Amino acid sequence: ELPNRTRERLIQRLGENGISNTAVLERIRSVPRHLFVDEALASRAYEDTALPIGQGQTISQPWVVALMTQAVLPPGNGGGVPPLGKVLEVGTGCGYQTAVLSPFARTVFTIERLAGLQRAARTRLNELGFGNIRYRHGDGFQGWPGQAPFDAILVAAAPADVPEALLEQLAPGGRLVIPVGPAGQQELLRVTRTPDGLQRELLSQVSFVPLVEGMG
Ligand code: SAH
């Protein structure tokens, strides 16, 4: 089957499942997800499913990547070009979510605790020509204090509770999107820093690998 057909089917499916932001759908259409997985899995890259990327980790499901991206963008994309300034991503993995985010941000700051995955993602994203990404081998529980505050924070692995450091690093009006809870019963939350304090919304039930403390 032609790869373009499977890509189109994926976009259609995302649209039917709550992804309404056309800029996000367009982005999922244009990022070559097959280049972010092992060659042996490339034929499955446009299925709406998580796939293994080594070291017990997975590339996130496209629907989840689209949902999280849509959830951090300001309503109507805010009209800015790009719509977001500084964005923090925790859990670089293979770098797919990083690539999807890139054009929506002035700079994406991405943290990964496993050095091997971090190196591979950096090499891949450099080869693909992404110039607005900064990489850190570190523990995402700490965030990236030297670059805070952030307009948006996306976390691609689930802690038991929202880490305090990430809330502290959220700019006024900023949005944190994070899965929280034990395996099998995680909730994707959006926390927004409003003038009246932190506002929490439940976005969806989800399934992520755990956010692990310390560096690998
Ligand atoms: N968005 C990535 C998702 C990768 S899975 C992708 O699409 O490929 C989640 C990633 O979070 C894993 O690579 C895992 O190693 C990383 N991770 C887990 N705990 C972490 C922590 N405390 N700090 C940074 N990264 C972490």
Side-chain angles (χ1 to χ4, degrees):
E1 183 166 32
L2 292 168
N4 282 344
R5 287 273 298 278
T6 58
R7 280 205 205 195
E8 284 315 313
R9 189 134 23 87
L10 172 62
I11 301 310
Q12 189 186 344
R13 193 186 141 108
L14 298 183
E16 289 163 2
N17 286 286
I19 310 303
S20 53
N21 186 310
T22 52
V24 172
L25 289 171
E26 204 40 61
R27 189 67 192 142
I28 298 280
R29 178 183 276 120
S30 62
V31 176
R33 191 168 183 258
H34 63 279
L35 299 181
F36 290 81
V37 296
D38 197 82
E39 249 178 282
L41 292 170
S43 65
R44 301 189 55 199
Y46 299 98
E47 293 176 16
D48 190 19
T49 176
L51 295 166
I53 56 172
Q55 303 201 45
Q57 305 304 319
T58 55
I59 181 173
S60 302
Q61 183 191 354
W63 174 76
V64 160
V65 171
L67 181 65
M68 292 180 80
T69 306
Q70 174 171 285
V72 295
L73 287 171
N77 291 346
V81 182
L84 298 166
K86 287 178 162 184
V87 175
L88 176 66
E89 179 191 42
V90 173
T92 316
C94 67
Y96 175 67
Q97 167 88 73
T98 325
V100 170
L101 273 173
S102 165
F104 296 112
R106 195 171 66 241
T107 312
V108 180
F109 297 85
T110 187
I111 307 178
E112 170 58 53
R113 68 179 289 275
L114 298 175
L117 288 181
Q118 201 258 346
R119 253 195 319 273
R122 184 201 291 251
T123 302
R124 179 182 291 120
L125 290 166
N126 282 340
E127 281 171 2
L128 291 172
F130 290 92
N132 67 335
I133 299 167
R134 293 192 41 197
Y135 304 86
R136 180 172 182 143
H137 176 217
D139 179 3
F141 272 97
Q142 314 303 321
W144 195 322
Q147 289 293 344
F150 298 99
D151 299 315
I153 302 178
L154 283 88
V155 184
D161 296 297
V162 179
E164 204 54 46
L166 298 184
L167 293 174
E168 283 165 12
Q169 292 173 30
L170 209 49
R175 296 179 177 81
L176 164 65
V177 175
I178 184 168
V180 171
Q185 48 187 92
Q186 296 164 358
E187 297 187 328
L188 189 66
L189 303 180
R190 174 166 60 188
V191 185
T192 306
R193 183 178 291 287
T194 76
D196 303 325
L198 295 169
Q199 177 207 337
R200 273 178 182 243
E201 298 159 84
L202 170 60
L203 300 180
S204 183
Q205 303 295 318
V206 286
S207 175
F208 279 83
V209 297
L211 192 71
V212 179
E213 280 194 71
M215 280 152 66

